[in-house]
Amino acid sequence: MFKILDVAGSGLAAQQLRLNTVASNLANADTVSGDPAAVYRARHVKFQAVEGGVRVTGVVESQAEPLKRHEPGNPLADENGFVYAPRVDAVGEMVNMISASRSYQNNLEVMNTSKELLLRTLMMGQ
Amino acid sequence: MALDLDAYLSLHANALSIRARRAEVLANNLANADTPGFKARDIDFAAALKAATSAPASPPAAPNTNGTPPADPLAPFIKYRLPSQPSLDGNTVEVDSERAAFMDNAVRYQASLTFLNSRIKSLMQALTGE
């Protein structure tokens, strides 16, 4: 029974990391750069089922080409007047955030219920 | 009249441990609700309880000397769920039904616990004779 707390805890940690990447992607959605190689790339977590819960096996960076915009007035623009913006799918990230937060809540509920049951089991026979 | 303490308590004790294992399996489903390709599982409670109660009482398994954990006696009763609406990424966890199953399991766990407690209480009452 004590294993449930580990399982739910691994779920909480994984969803927390997913929320972190969503926050990072949204915060950097407008971080432009004059160099297409140095531009921020959207990050996504990779989940894997393991014995006793879920594990984050890595954070992958999006391979999508950055958006090229002509902004000669921008101090970050390159010599041709172009800036490069990361291709962050804001709507997709919001959906990701809602999904992660729901899953987080589910895991938390599992943890609370298990704690309650464990405490009652400890009182058995008293 | 001899009282077989083991038989007196074993039904609810067995039910309680199977419920605890089922809660673990369901918690695992919920933790992997967003893992691509994960297949949801559940325990066939009725079959597991039947096997546990019909099996002759055996002493608890001794820990293996080579350090590996003893085999899970409930492993044969853990089955894969049939999804009512499979998703594209191969995940078969249906969060709402898993949550409902987890809650149902928690309530039944408490029921078993209450039965066990009342049995212990009546035994204590008989012992003290008050």
Side-chain angles (χ1 to χ4, degrees):
Chain A
M1 189 84 180
F2 284 99
K3 227 177 94 189
I4 300 187
L5 298 181
D6 291 340
V7 171
S10 78
L12 287 179
Q15 299 299 341
Q16 181 74 59
L17 204 78
R18 184 167 162 214
L19 277 175
N20 266 342
T21 60
V22 170
S24 163
N25 292 344
L26 286 175
N28 284 297
D30 291 320
T31 311
V32 296
S33 162
D35 179 7
V39 85
Y40 176 84
R41 288 180 180 277
R43 278 156 207 197
H44 295 106
V45 289
K46 258 166 61 182
F47 286 172
Q48 196 199 5
V50 290
E51 191 53 45
V54 59
R55 197 163 58 105
V56 176
T57 51
V59 179
V60 288
E61 291 197 331
S62 157
Q63 294 305 311
E65 281 296 305
L67 287 168
K68 193 175 173 186
R69 281 205 304 260
H70 189 58
E71 278 181 24
N74 196 319
L76 290 168
D78 61 9
E79 63 270 21
N80 299 319
F82 285 108
V83 291
Y84 300 87
R87 211 176 269 274
V88 172
D89 175 7
V91 177
E93 294 298 340
M94 291 303 280
V95 171
N96 218 348
M97 182 187 81
I98 294 170
S99 167
S101 110
R102 290 281 181 276
S103 297
Y104 189 91
Q105 287 174 23
N106 282 335
N107 279 302
L108 201 59
E109 204 177 293
V110 166
M111 214 170 203
N112 272 330
T113 309
S114 315
K115 188 196 80 176
E116 205 72 24
L117 291 180
L118 278 171
L119 289 178
R120 280 176 205 209
T121 311
L122 289 176
M123 303 281 286
M124 183 159 47
Q126 288 180 16
Chain B
M1 193 182 76
L3 172 69
D4 185 352
L5 197 59
D6 212 30
Y8 182 70
L9 295 175
S10 71
L11 174 68
H12 297 303
N14 280 330
L16 203 63
S17 64
I18 299 171
R19 288 275 170 224
R21 186 76 179 88
R22 182 161 184 242
E24 271 175 30
V25 173
L26 296 176
N28 200 28
N29 289 346
L30 280 168
N32 283 295
D34 300 317
T35 309
F38 179 79
K39 306 291 179 218
R41 292 175 301 173
D42 199 354
I43 286 187
D44 183 351
F45 180 83
L49 186 61
K50 204 170 168 201
T53 46
S54 62
S58 55
N64 293 352
T65 44
N66 55 9
T68 53
D72 182 2
L74 290 174
F77 303 103
I78 299 181
K79 307 272 168 66
Y80 288 103
R81 246 196 230 303
L82 288 178
S84 61
Q85 198 177 31
S87 66
L88 269 180
D89 64 359
N91 186 304
T92 63
V93 179
E94 280 156 2
V95 175
D96 295 307
S97 51
E98 295 298 338
R99 274 186 59 163
F102 187 84
M103 274 297 139
D104 174 85
N105 191 58
V107 171
R108 287 168 197 269
Y109 182 94
Q110 289 200 36
S112 287
L113 203 56
T114 311
F115 286 134
L116 206 52
N117 258 330
S118 64
R119 292 216 154 185
I120 293 170
K121 262 206 195 93
S122 34
L123 197 63
M124 293 307 281
Q125 213 161 23
L127 283 174
T128 49
E130 282 165 9

